[in-house]
Amino acid sequence: MLDQVNLNKKASKEQAKSELKRLEEELSLIQQEIKKEKLPVVILFDGWGAAGKGSMIADLILNFDPRGCRVISNAPATDEERRRPLLWRYWRNIPEYGQIMVLDRSWYQDISTARVEDGLSRETVLQRIGDIKIFERQLTDDGYLVLKFFLHISKKEQKKRFDKLEGDKNTEWRVTETDRRRNRNYEDYYRAFDEMLEYTDTPNAPWHLIPSHDRTLAKLEVYHTVLTSIRKALAQKAVPQPAPGKVMIPQTFTLVKMPELADVPLDNALGKDEYNRKLKKLQARLSELHNVLYREKIPVIIGYEGWDAAGKGGNIKRVAAALDPRGYDVHPIASPTPSELAHQYLWRFWTRLPKDGHVAIFDRTWYGRVMVERLEGFCTPQAWHRAYQEINEFERVLTEWGAIVLKFWLHIDQDEQLRRFTDRQNTPSKQWKITDEDWRNREKWPLYEEAVNDMLRYTSTDFAPWHIIQSQDKKYGRIQALELIISAIESRL
Amino acid sequence: MLDQVNLNKKASKEQAKSELKRLEEELSLIQQEIKKEKLPVVILFDGWGAAGKGSMIADLILNFDPRGCRVISNAPATDEERRRPLLWRYWRNIPEYGQIMVLDRSWYQDISTARVEDGLSRETVLQRIGDIKIFERQLTDDGYLVLKFFLHISKKEQKKRFDKLEGDKNTEWRVTETDRRRNRNYEDYYRAFDEMLEYTDTPNAPWHLIPSHDRTLAKLEVYHTVLTSIRKALAQKAVPQPAPGKVMIPQTFTLVKMPELADVPLDNALGKDEYNRKLKKLQARLSELHNVLYREKIPVIIGYEGWDAAGKGGNIKRVAAALDPRGYDVHPIASPTPSELAHQYLWRFWTRLPKDGHVAIFDRTWYGRVMVERLEGFCTPQAWHRAYQEINEFERVLTEWGAIVLKFWLHIDQDEQLRRFTDRQNTPSKQWKITDEDWRNREKWPLYEEAVNDMLRYTSTDFAPWHIIQSQDKKYGRIQALELIISAIESRL
């Protein structure tokens, strides 16, 4: 793609000045609309060293009110970041609805410079490209505008700029040996950049290649593209999208066949002595394994879902009791905060991912999207239909990163739930555990059952299958969960 | 203090079991009250290696609902953390009101093990102790319960435990050469711990020394202390505190004499040509200096306050235009989010501190406490009275860390404000900038003036003095701010 960029184009001085002024004015006005329409905007800049990313960004953001605009410079990853999936640090920083985020370098550095310099295998590069495309699609499907600029200059121009920087004692420190080496090997980077641009130039997030020899011209093109793209995105927001007719079945992954909830047996039970004996033995084993996970830097993610009063809390407690608190976190997932609501729905789970070697237990999970959010209308039908595929993609990233991902549905029947609700209601120290909402949800049991069956059907992948925990007898369910966790870890080691 | 701990005490097996059961039950019930009364609880564990912190914490937190309890393990500081003041990573993690935070090691590691191993000077240790005491007092004054446990064992017992861990192939990796060395030099650490305990045993956050040879006894003592302290704190919340009679003048710092607002001249102005010439020159100079700051790793914090429509936005823009976006952030401070409201008020500023070598510009600041929060009754009189001292302490930490701290009050008179309000009202593209609240605030001008004068009087310290920017002529004000920033940086270099 780079060979189609005309680097010799120049802006006419006279015209440029007034044109620039006009664009600047429009940019500063359009931010109010972005805010009003809650359009999230991601503007990323990649390109050659010394192509002018820094000053381009500096100028661009002066048109925006800092209350709605943030710049993120993606320097080399920190300790924290290296212990998470590659895209974690970018997910973490996605803007809120109505905000503009400008990125100085982005996820693309992981498949361009990193590719040349770390000698990544072709397979790794392709996998990263795949992950990036999914990431961008999930954002744009959620209504984000993703604007990608590549600032292009020739080898000769780059050398000239490095020379100039080095000639000035105030800026000489900015040119490093790495810069010089990159200029000498310009051709290698060119090939890497070109392929990256080709492979990631998607309709939902196309690249804009900016000839950057003439700085004024570059600025005009960037400003113009930003403006027209924002206008287009704002216009599109006004167009209602038709709701899908039936559930959009995720296509990309191999699904494991799951039973219907109605067919799951619930009559298994354990006596107190057997339970205590098994519990003690399994907890000791899990405790040992936790040490190994820590040393081998294997992350474990356990998601708990289930009927109200199915016994999630007590089950989690028995698992947690076997773990070293320095190496695990329990994340209770309640209704989203205003800030969480102002991001793509997976954001609040991305930001809670464990470090490698750590265990994260989620008490309710990202599956809220296809259960409560589906049933209560907290998201559009398109959104929850799309979610099956998005969630599978999310879990795929986690397992490819190396995580063990376990998902439990804690199952009881309606009679058992009623018994437990009534018991809570009648026991003063348990009353806080039961709310009107629980009773309301109970009335929707058949609707929930349908949603759960869909969820089990469409998101039980071979890399992250669902497990139905028979929690009618709580003791049996706890032992079952512990056994499943232990066996998943053992089969990995 | 450590010599008063009776390490030979033992729990009676029989009694202990039932006592423990009772305490566990009470702990699990009291969390509801903590939540209801919005009591934030910090429980930190320090002590000897192998004294049992890990298992103590593991057991303790099983009594709590994870929805209201978090464990933080304070491992060695990360890159991010090392580039901030020492207490930053602890401030960042303080719990929300109504939440429990359990700390495995804490800020005390920076004055105990770090002291012995990094060979800190006496002066540094005393300064850190001072900072810690301020930190804890600011928390407890805000209503936090801070519980500090030190788990004590003898040199011999410690060696025995290391031997035992090393004898088991599952746990041998947990004993490091550092552990062994620390055991050999037990006496050095003993002295450091003892002095630390002595110096930081304050009435508002006393130490609880726990004899930890007998694990059951240790647990009983910890549980018992946690319970009684929480009960006491809950009871205290119910007792209303008398409002202070007059402004509590901060005593600890040297204050710079400031003029009354009414005496500040506002007739300075700049012609367009002179302004443009100066602006260009000063921005070029600031741009150079930004490079130097970056290389020298000096952080700069600039706080903007001022009357509505005094020109903060435009002033900030002229400063920002001279800076490299990779090295600065503008933080617009609006009304606090629910999460921010659920923390001590300085928390949202602590979490926004720049990395060393970076510039943070605050568009409105922590001084909201003694202006809008004072006047609108968003905090108690005690709280804003206390704030003068707390804010000086905060800024002292920043300057001791190495930051250049600049505070600007952008001043205009009432007539000028009216002109600008009217102009905004009459210009379509500016209407979003003016709200009913602005008009309401304007009516309270005399009250604000009094608050501003108090603020200038009590928080203009010799390390972080206020500067009154004459913004009646916006151009003059911008040049003034740039000159002040440049001169502050130059006098540091």
Side-chain angles (χ1 to χ4, degrees), chain A residues 419-436:
Chain A
R419 266 192 297 277
R420 294 186 189 179
F421 276 13
T422 315
D423 174 54
R424 286 181 177 184
Q425 205 89 53
N426 297 336
T427 315
S429 68
K430 289 186 189 166
Q431 272 161 9
W432 62 276
K433 283 179 147 189
I434 179 105
T435 65
D436 290 349

Side-chain angles (χ1 to χ4, degrees), chain A residues 28-29 32 35 53-55 57-59 61-71 73 77-80 82 104 169-171 173-174 288 291-292 294-295 313 316-318 320-321 323-333 338 355 363 429-430 432, chain B residues 28-29 32 35 53-55 57-59 61-71 73 75 77-80 82 104 169-171 173-174 288 291-292 294-295 313 316-318 320-321 323-333 338 363 429 432-433:
Chain A
S28 67
L29 285 173
Q32 285 310 305
K35 208 174 147 185
K53 289 191 296 296
S55 56
I57 293 173
D59 290 344
I61 61 169
L62 287 178
N63 301 302
F64 298 130
D65 181 340
R67 266 162 287 196
C69 174
R70 206 160 42 115
V71 180
S73 297
T78 63
D79 305 342
E80 280 287 293
R82 273 190 296 268
D104 185 351
K169 73 168 177 36
N170 277 312
T171 53
W173 65 279
R174 291 176 61 175
E288 270 172 30
N291 275 325
V292 185
Y294 184 79
R295 272 180 292 163
I316 290 173
K317 206 162 173 166
R318 298 324 183 277
L323 304 174
D324 181 329
R326 282 164 285 201
Y328 82 89
D329 278 300
V330 177
H331 299 286
I333 301 300
K355 282 187 281 209
D363 183 353
S429 68
K430 289 186 189 166
W432 62 276
Chain B
S28 68
L29 285 173
Q32 285 310 305
K35 208 173 149 189
K53 289 189 296 295
S55 55
I57 293 174
D59 290 345
I61 61 168
L62 287 178
N63 301 302
F64 297 129
D65 180 341
R67 265 162 289 196
C69 174
R70 205 161 42 115
V71 181
S73 297
T78 63
D79 305 342
E80 279 287 291
R82 271 191 295 270
D104 185 351
K169 72 168 176 38
N170 277 314
T171 52
W173 64 280
R174 292 177 60 175
E288 271 171 32
N291 275 325
V292 185
Y294 184 80
R295 273 179 291 163
I316 290 173
K317 204 162 175 167
R318 297 330 183 275
L323 304 174
D324 182 329
R326 283 166 282 202
Y328 82 90
D329 279 299
V330 177
H331 299 286
I333 302 301
D363 184 354
S429 68
W432 62 275
K433 284 179 147 190

Side-chain angles (χ1 to χ4, degrees), chain A residues 123-394:
Chain A
E123 201 193 330
T124 306
V125 173
L126 289 176
Q127 191 211 308
R128 288 188 184 181
I129 287 175
D131 288 349
I132 284 175
K133 286 168 95 159
I134 288 171
F135 173 41
E136 292 179 354
R137 173 171 45 71
Q138 289 197 2
L139 291 183
T140 56
D141 275 352
D142 193 53
Y144 285 71
L145 171 62
V146 177
L147 272 164
K148 309 190 293 198
F149 290 105
F150 186 93
L151 304 196
H152 186 35
I153 53 174
S154 69
K155 181 176 188 178
K156 215 172 113 191
E157 176 72 15
Q158 191 185 36
K159 183 169 178 302
K160 211 171 83 188
R161 293 189 182 184
F162 285 151
D163 290 345
K164 195 176 161 214
L165 282 170
E166 238 174 16
D168 180 334
K169 73 168 177 36
N170 277 312
T171 53
E172 57 177 0
W173 65 279
R174 291 176 61 175
V175 183
T176 63
E177 194 29 55
T178 309
D179 290 326
R180 289 295 186 181
R181 198 189 56 238
R182 287 179 182 170
N183 180 252
R184 280 193 303 274
N185 302 325
Y186 183 95
E187 292 75 13
D188 295 340
Y189 290 93
Y190 186 98
R191 274 188 298 273
F193 279 141
D194 205 45
E195 196 180 86
M196 163 189 103
L197 294 166
E198 195 79 64
Y199 277 51
T200 57
D201 188 37
T202 56
N204 56 310
W207 276 103
H208 303 279
L209 310 186
I210 306 295
S212 303
H213 285 197
D214 181 332
R215 287 177 194 271
T216 313
L217 180 77
K219 207 148 112 176
L220 282 173
E221 291 213 3
V222 167
Y223 283 17
H224 185 75
T225 310
V226 170
L227 264 174
T228 46
S229 308
I230 290 174
R231 287 217 183 95
K232 215 174 110 188
L234 288 170
Q236 248 165 4
K237 270 189 100 79
V239 181
Q241 308 239 314
K246 51 178 182 176
V247 173
M248 288 155 55
I249 300 171
Q251 300 287 356
T252 326
F253 304 101
T254 308
L255 298 174
V256 177
K257 181 135 180 59
M258 295 294 293
E260 297 278 314
L261 273 191
D263 301 332
V264 175
L266 283 175
D267 48 359
N268 282 307
L270 278 180
K272 200 169 176 193
D273 286 346
E274 193 185 356
Y275 167 70
N276 280 329
R277 208 177 53 245
K278 284 197 171 179
L279 182 67
K280 208 171 156 186
K281 205 180 119 222
L282 292 170
Q283 285 183 332
R285 177 64 183 144
L286 182 55
S287 176
E288 270 172 30
L289 288 172
H290 194 204
N291 275 325
V292 185
L293 291 169
Y294 184 79
R295 272 180 292 163
E296 306 272 332
K297 293 188 180 302
I298 299 172
V300 179
I301 295 162
I302 309 174
Y304 276 84
E305 291 285 356
W307 299 107
D308 288 331
K312 287 193 298 297
N315 200 305
I316 290 173
K317 206 162 173 166
R318 298 324 183 277
V319 174
L323 304 174
D324 181 329
R326 282 164 285 201
Y328 82 89
D329 278 300
V330 177
H331 299 286
I333 301 300
S335 18
T337 65
S339 159
E340 288 169 348
L341 276 176
H343 287 90
Q344 202 262 17
Y345 71 103
L346 288 173
W347 177 76
R348 61 172 174 154
F349 304 103
W350 270 97
T351 53
R352 285 175 168 86
L353 290 185
K355 282 187 281 209
D356 55 19
H358 283 239
V359 178
I361 300 175
F362 288 87
D363 183 353
R364 301 203 183 277
T365 67
W366 41 97
Y367 285 97
R369 189 70 161 187
V370 294
M371 293 198 291
V372 58
E373 292 184 45
R374 163 182 174 173
L375 292 180
E376 302 290 340
F378 294 154
C379 64
T380 64
Q382 295 89 325
W384 67 260
H385 279 244
R386 216 168 45 223
Y388 297 110
Q389 173 76 9
E390 287 167 340
I391 286 175
N392 287 343
E393 288 166 345
F394 171 53

